[in-house]
Amino acid sequence: MIELVEHERIGAKLSDDDKGELLRSIRALADKVQDLYRPIRDSLSAEAQLSDPDLLGLCHARDNLIGAENAVLGIREARNVKQAEDAVRGGRHGG
């Protein structure tokens, strides 16, 4: 975490290759978690699925991984918005 803060301070950016590798890793882990909970889910009744701690924990972990994937995907959109805002500000000051 400290390294990320330091990189942010000096203006380092996540490269497209790094982002792609990170997305592949997150997806692989989410798939692995899903593979773990499917047999548990399939072995339980619908009612039991609502209270099984193993199933609920794995589903929560998968949901969080999907959230992490969406956050990484949002980096590009946030960069585009920032670039557009910077261009507008630059146009106001430069024009």
Side-chain angles (χ1 to χ4, degrees):
M1 186 58 133
I2 293 171
E3 289 177 23
L4 288 174
V5 171
E6 183 63 28
H7 285 297
E8 184 63 30
R9 202 175 318 147
I10 61 174
K13 298 204 186 278
L14 184 64
S15 73
D16 287 339
D17 288 342
D18 289 341
K19 187 169 63 170
E21 182 180 339
L22 182 57
L23 286 170
R24 284 188 295 278
S25 296
I26 291 170
R27 285 179 188 151
L29 189 52
D31 288 346
K32 187 165 185 82
V33 169
Q34 192 168 340
D35 289 344
L36 288 171
Y37 81 65
R38 279 186 180 148
I40 296 170
R41 182 193 62 203
D42 294 345
S43 71
L44 298 171
S45 68
E47 185 177 317
Q49 290 177 17
L50 299 174
S51 61
D52 183 78
D54 293 330
L55 180 63
L56 294 174
L58 290 170
C59 288
H60 188 66
R62 183 185 150 272
D63 291 346
N64 286 335
L65 288 165
I66 291 171
E69 180 181 10
N70 289 334
V72 172
L73 289 169
I75 291 171
R76 177 179 293 143
E77 183 177 336
R79 277 188 190 161
N80 291 341
V81 168
K82 184 177 182 323
Q83 288 173 350
E85 289 171 350
D86 290 348
V88 168
R89 275 193 294 259
R92 287 183 190 154
H93 296 295

